[in-house]
Amino acid sequence: MTAKPAVSRTAVNVALGGVGFLAVCGGLLLLTTFIAALTAFIQQLIILAALIFGGWIAVQVFGHRPGAGTTVNIRKAVFKRNHFHG
């Protein structure tokens, strides 16, 4: 007659399965943290690119161009008693 082991084979399998499950959960937690950090980094890069590109557009639109200013000619005017005589 063969002797029965002190611990059943099923109990050993369940224990090993639990250890494996805990290892997987830890890895998934690290993976989730990495994905969140990567997403935040990409978001920061997109915002930085939008700021730089927006600034470049603003300089193109509102920047000073030599010779492209508005010329205003003002005639000599005389103001007497709150009336304009041009």
Side-chain angles (χ1 to χ4, degrees):
M1 201 176 359
T2 57
K4 281 181 111 178
V7 180
S8 71
R9 205 175 264 251
T10 305
V12 171
N13 288 338
V14 168
L16 288 176
V19 170
F21 181 73
L22 287 176
V24 168
C25 286
L28 286 177
L29 182 64
L30 288 175
L31 183 64
T32 306
T33 305
F34 174 74
I35 290 173
L38 186 64
T39 304
F41 178 69
I42 291 172
Q43 183 180 9
Q44 295 280 334
L45 286 179
I46 290 171
I47 291 171
L48 181 64
L51 285 174
I52 291 173
F53 186 68
W56 181 78
I57 293 289
V59 167
Q60 298 302 314
V61 171
F62 299 113
H64 177 70
R65 294 184 200 111
T70 304
T71 303
V72 177
N73 294 319
I74 300 174
R75 294 187 302 162
K76 194 174 186 180
V78 178
F79 289 92
K80 289 185 179 178
R81 294 188 187 145
N82 295 329
H83 293 287
F84 174 72
H85 302 279

